[in-house]
């Protein structure tokens, strides 16, 4: 959507160009979000530079994607450790329950013999 948004801002500005387009876009965002005009104008300009302009948008998207991939790899390692710990805990508890179950069966057998 970046390039379309860039053209829209240029068309909004009419003969005044991008500056008026940014101002009109900021006014529209202000109505929608309720933020201050200055914040909306800053977001509009940042949006244009980092996401909409053909030269800079590719660099911006590459950095954004690289960060996500790295974060995903790190999260996968953390999740794997957590799952291994849960698996080990489960196995330990399973052995404890088997031991308790065996002791219960032996006790019932002993009580059955005495009756």
């Amino acid at each position: 959507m970046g390039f379309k948004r860039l053209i829209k801002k240029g068309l909004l500005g009419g003969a005044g160009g991008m500056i008026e387009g940014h101002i009109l876009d900021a006014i529209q965002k202000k109505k929608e979000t309720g933020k201050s005009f200055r914040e909306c104008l800053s977001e509009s300009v940042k949006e244009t530079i980092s996401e909409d302009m053909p030269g800079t948008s590719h660099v911006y998207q590459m950095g954004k994607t690289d960060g996500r991939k790295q974060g995903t790899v790190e999260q996968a390692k953390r999740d794997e450790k957590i799952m291994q710990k849960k698996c080990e805990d489960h196995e330990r508890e399973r052995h404890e329950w088997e031991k308790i179950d065996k002791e219960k069966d032996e006790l019932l057998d002993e009580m059955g013999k005495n009756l």
Side-chain angles (χ1 to χ4, degrees):
M1 174 165 166
F3 193 67
K4 290 179 187 176
R5 195 169 42 209
L6 180 67
I7 292 173
K8 177 184 153 201
K9 287 178 186 174
L11 292 177
L12 279 175
M18 292 297 290
I19 295 172
E20 288 181 14
H22 282 294
I23 292 171
L24 294 174
D25 187 50
I27 291 170
Q28 183 180 5
K29 285 183 181 184
K30 183 179 186 290
K31 289 178 185 176
E32 293 172 1
T33 63
K35 295 179 181 178
S36 72
F37 176 75
R38 175 177 238 147
E39 288 176 318
C40 293
L41 185 61
S42 175
E43 285 178 12
S44 180
V45 172
K46 178 193 169 282
E47 196 175 75
T48 300
I49 293 172
S50 62
E51 298 176 16
D52 300 343
M53 294 178 72
T56 58
S57 66
H58 297 296
V59 175
Y60 176 77
Q61 291 299 327
M62 284 183 350
K64 194 173 175 183
T65 305
D66 289 345
R68 283 187 191 157
K69 287 179 185 176
Q70 183 61 32
T72 304
V73 169
E74 292 169 358
Q75 184 64 42
K77 288 178 183 177
R78 286 192 297 265
D79 290 346
E80 186 177 355
K81 287 180 183 178
I82 290 170
M83 289 305 294
Q84 284 178 346
K85 185 181 181 318
K86 285 185 178 188
C87 212
E88 290 169 0
D89 291 346
H90 176 73
E91 282 298 312
R92 188 175 355 92
E93 289 175 3
R94 187 175 67 83
H95 288 299
E96 287 178 27
W97 281 106
E98 286 177 351
K99 180 182 167 189
I100 291 171
D101 193 41
K102 184 178 177 184
E103 290 174 0
K104 176 196 63 132
D105 288 342
E106 289 173 358
L107 184 62
L108 286 174
D109 287 343
E110 208 174 288
M111 288 177 69
K113 290 179 185 177
N114 291 336
L115 291 175

